[in-house]
Amino acid sequence: MPDTSQPLLLTQTDRRERRGVMAALDHSQCLIWFNAQGRILDANPLAQDLLGRHLIDETHALLVGEYHGSWPSYSAYWARIRDGLLRNEERSLHRGTGEEVWTTISYAVIASPTGGTRRVLAIVIDLSPWAWKPKIAF
């Protein structure tokens, strides 16, 4: 098992490779960045196009339709994401029009130098074309 007690020292090549990986993800995936409290700090154009709205300064709670984001059940749910205990989930999100989008979301926790969570990256994939849902006629 590798020693994680010492900080990882990245070479210039390592940094270039990581920037390349992030650029590739940014051009091919819906990326949403949250602070440790669940506020959206950034969302790439693919994420904003998928959800049909400007996401900056919204919260994770609003994104997932939890309009009572201060409720204990939601607070515990966000804590599981923030602490890296919930790494992937399938759930619906809502476009700006109210239309439901069935997604899979992978969460990556970015640690701060002091050991807490600095940011959370959500990689969102639209599963709507493959999701089985009964058609509801109104």
Side-chain angles (χ1 to χ4, degrees):
M1 182 173 248
D3 178 15
T4 58
S5 63
Q6 297 297 317
L8 179 64
L9 299 176
L10 298 176
T11 66
Q12 204 57 14
T13 301
D14 292 332
R15 287 188 181 98
R16 262 193 313 277
E17 288 174 356
R18 287 179 181 215
R19 281 193 300 272
V21 168
M22 281 309 304
L25 285 172
D26 197 39
H27 290 292
S28 63
Q29 302 295 318
C30 299
L31 304 179
I32 303 172
W33 294 88
F34 299 91
N35 67 11
Q37 292 73 43
R39 183 157 301 281
I40 297 175
L41 300 171
D42 195 12
N44 72 354
L46 294 172
Q48 294 190 57
D49 288 347
L50 174 66
L51 297 170
R53 66 185 191 270
H54 182 74
L55 298 168
I56 311 305
D57 283 335
E58 281 192 20
T59 62
H60 180 270
L62 287 174
L63 184 68
V64 300
E66 292 287 341
Y67 302 106
H68 303 287
S70 61
W71 284 12
S73 60
Y74 175 77
S75 296
Y77 165 65
W78 174 252
R80 289 183 63 227
I81 293 169
R82 180 200 62 221
D83 296 341
L85 300 173
L86 178 61
R87 295 186 179 154
N88 186 278
E89 66 178 335
E90 287 186 9
R91 69 168 308 124
S92 63
L93 303 178
H94 291 86
R95 291 192 166 110
T97 60
E99 179 186 5
E100 185 178 55
V101 181
W102 190 252
T103 67
T104 181
I105 306 172
S106 295
Y107 298 103
V109 175
I110 312 301
S112 71
T114 59
T117 297
R118 187 169 77 87
R119 290 190 179 172
V120 175
L121 170 62
I123 303 171
V124 181
I125 298 172
D126 180 6
L127 297 178
S128 296
W130 303 281
W132 179 86
K133 296 231 172 193
K135 300 218 185 284
I136 300 173
F138 291 97

